[in-house]
Amino acid sequence: MRRPRIVIVGAGFAGYRTARTLARAAGGRADITLLNPTDYFLYLPLLPQVAAGILEPRRVTVSLSGTLREVRPVLGEADHVDLDARTVHYTNPEGDRGTLGYDRLVLAAGSVNKLLPIPGIAEHAHGFRGLPEALYLRDHLTRQVELASSGDNAAERAARCTFVVVGAGYTGTEVAAQGKLFTDALVRAHPLRRGIRPRWLLLDVASRVLPELDERLSRTADRVLRERGVEVRMGTSVKEATRDGVLLTDGEFVGTRTLAWCVGVRPDPLAESLGLPMERGRLLVEPTLQVPGRPEVFACGDAAAVPDLERPGEYTPMTAQHAWRQGKVAGRNVAGSLVAGGGATGLRPYRHKDMGFVVDLGGVQAAANPLGVHLSGPAAGAVARGYHLAAMPGNRVRVAADWLLDAVLPRQDVQLGLVRSSSVPLDTESPELARVPGDHKRDSAASGPGAATEEDVNTGNDAHDADDMDPDGRNTDHRNTDHRNEANDVKDRNDVNKATGGSGEKHPAPEDGSQSITSPTPEVGRHSGGGSGSRVGQSSPEEGSQSIDSPTPEVGRHSSGPATPHDDESAGEPGGNRRDPESARKQSGRGEAGNEPGAAERGDGRAEGDR
């Protein structure tokens, strides 16, 4: 007798927990396949510590094959789901297409970056939802301090040491808090940098930091940030972003090369492509997480609008806590639906209970209220780190070891140059993957599902990260928008033509022209479209960013032709001069890689807001 086939799309908080729960419940009586762009589960709550140089990147990843022994991981992004044929069509990292048949389907595709229709944001800002973005930010912060220390122009030095973070939810607050400590350490460790004063600004249209949380925790975070030297500006956001800085809504122009965009996320477009009933981009489901009219299909996490049984008429927010607990319920219900005679009557509805959250502010500082007890300072810091160690499904010893080493040893202030600006565009729908030069599949989504609406633009409290939610899950829902015009689209096509020899018909494979054995500078990668002497931005080796004939192998190569003074990030950020701005894949099969489980396990969710 053939074993039932179960396909789970996405290995974020919801998808990973579903797979783990289902594998235990099935006991080897089902074929379980987990489709995800990466071979790991990302524990997003600790991502700011990766950007600050506290944790190594692999510390916040959990191997799928290593921890889900009875689950078959498949690398790829879901392109299309045929509900009638019960098949999932996907594309693997090398561009090959495949199909997965299923008897039960769990959609846990997660969410992607949200953009607002603000001029220059898509070109000059970077998000913070995946490892490539964290690695880029760490290198970028180090690079700006180094360039400032060697520069002669006072205005340029000040701009390079000015860092702007938009969004005072969990992500933005923690990025600003950790980033300020990191840049201060970069300056303090070198006598020749003592004249440099890193300046951090945290912006939000809300009236206070962490507006969805208890006011006492908000006050704690605000106090720590201000004492640390972060300029907290509430009721203020970005009106326009340029290469030289940002124009704020209060009329002030701030010179900067760094713009971190942490205002929120939107559901993955894969959910809306199914043509089923939706709720603001999320798939409507029953309390049992089944899709109405499709009992073989389940959805959870950011991709699903799950009725909140504790608040009739409302839906659970897009948070890590909800995703984590929904994954457990989904796993049990899928297993129950396979039992002879199993039906909706025997399935368990999703309910949650708020048990608190934590916000790590760097050093020994944090804000927490486990079980409703308000904590701050070192006590909250101990609770925050203890919670994360308990919540992580792996790597606990390595994370604890990195924390111990960071407490007794100075951080390594070097930039590896593994991820360049063009590899992590803000308008990507695959933030967990660095962009591959010449990848024609990652097209821009200027409109359609998730695009910004007039309501999104005019909603004053919508600048908060949907992943940066409180345990109660009150969140904002800006929709994504792309600000590029037809001229930019033409430029994109021309850049592709340059990278492919002018025809635009052939896109180089990742290994094509990515490394050059004749390179006089093998330590720096080269852009695949540049001449042998072009020293420009770099991406990871597997993306075709290195060329064996490169004169600069230490820097990755872009696919957009010979270098210009603006191709290198040192010529001016934020975001660099993005010469290959195609957006992400049309439909992503990724998991909820941007969310995290909440502090004291308050709800089954996912999002940084529930720490």
Side-chain angles (χ1 to χ4, degrees), residues 124-469:
H124 301 290
H126 288 286
F128 197 81
R129 291 187 51 74
L131 273 179
E133 293 168 322
L135 290 173
Y136 165 76
L137 182 60
R138 183 168 70 179
D139 275 1
H140 174 75
L141 296 179
T142 305
R143 182 183 306 116
Q144 295 310 305
V145 171
E146 292 173 344
L147 291 174
S149 64
S150 61
D152 297 326
N153 186 292
E156 181 179 342
R157 293 178 65 185
R160 291 194 181 282
C161 287
T162 299
F163 311 98
V164 178
V165 180
V166 183
Y170 284 87
T171 300
T173 298
E174 292 192 353
V175 167
Q178 299 277 7
K180 185 63 166 66
L181 291 179
F182 181 53
T183 53
D184 284 351
L186 291 177
V187 172
R188 186 171 54 249
H190 296 274
L192 297 180
R193 298 178 184 173
R194 287 175 181 170
I196 299 176
R197 297 181 178 276
R199 179 190 181 194
W200 283 78
L201 286 79
L202 179 61
L203 314 177
D204 201 308
V205 296
S207 59
R208 58 185 176 91
V209 174
L210 302 173
E212 302 89 359
L213 305 186
D214 182 278
E215 288 193 15
R216 293 178 297 175
L217 297 177
S218 177
R219 287 197 298 269
T220 297
D222 186 274
R223 174 180 55 79
V224 171
L225 288 169
R226 293 180 188 274
E227 289 177 352
R228 197 165 288 172
V230 177
E231 298 180 33
V232 181
R233 299 195 183 186
M234 296 295 97
T236 306
S237 189
V238 173
K239 184 176 182 180
E240 181 180 1
T242 69
R243 181 183 156 196
D244 298 319
V246 293
L247 177 63
L248 306 184
T249 53
D250 61 6
E252 179 184 356
F253 183 84
V254 177
T256 182
R257 300 293 190 272
T258 307
L259 181 57
W261 188 255
C262 303
V263 301
V265 296
R266 63 180 176 89
D268 191 287
L270 178 66
E272 196 158 5
S273 70
L274 301 179
L276 297 173
M278 308 293 293
E279 169 62 28
R280 302 199 69 172
R282 295 195 286 170
L283 201 60
L284 280 171
V285 297
E286 303 287 351
T288 58
L289 306 181
Q290 286 178 300
V291 174
R294 295 283 181 176
E296 76 281 4
V297 180
F298 294 75
C300 52
D302 284 2
V306 182
D308 191 338
L309 300 183
E310 303 297 321
R311 298 176 179 177
E314 298 184 20
Y315 299 94
T316 58
M318 297 163 60
T319 65
Q321 283 193 30
H322 284 294
W324 190 246
R325 291 193 172 185
Q326 286 170 10
K328 183 177 181 180
V329 173
R332 289 179 174 177
N333 286 349
V334 170
S337 70
L338 297 174
V339 177
T345 56
L347 303 186
R348 172 186 174 185
Y350 171 69
R351 291 181 179 274
H352 69 94
K353 182 180 180 181
D354 183 357
M355 298 184 67
F357 52 88
V358 298
V359 182
D360 193 335
L361 299 173
V364 298
Q365 296 294 329
N369 65 344
L371 301 176
V373 179
H374 175 69
L375 299 174
S376 62
V383 169
R385 293 201 168 183
Y387 168 73
H388 289 315
L389 285 180
M392 285 194 70
N395 286 352
R396 296 186 181 93
V397 174
R398 289 185 172 92
V399 169
D402 275 5
W403 284 341
L404 177 61
L405 291 175
D406 182 69
V408 298
L409 297 176
R411 300 178 195 176
Q412 293 180 293
D413 53 344
V414 297
Q415 48 162 325
L416 300 179
L418 298 179
V419 182
R420 303 292 283 190
S421 175
S422 60
S423 299
V424 285
L426 180 63
D427 56 356
T428 179
E429 290 181 358
S430 299
E432 68 277 16
L433 297 175
R435 170 180 288 166
V436 179
D439 188 347
H440 61 286
K441 295 177 182 177
R442 300 188 185 183
D443 298 321
S444 176
S447 61
T453 64
E454 192 68 24
E455 178 185 2
D456 294 330
V457 178
N458 295 329
T459 302
N461 198 33
D462 277 357
H464 315 301
D465 192 336
D467 282 347
D468 298 345
M469 297 274 109

Side-chain angles (χ1 to χ4, degrees), residues 1 25 67 91 148 199 215 283 332 470 484-485 509 512 524 597:
M1 181 177 178
T67 57
T91 303
R199 179 190 181 194
E215 288 193 15
L283 201 60
R332 289 179 174 177
D470 68 329
R484 286 184 228 144
N485 53 27
D512 290 344
V524 179

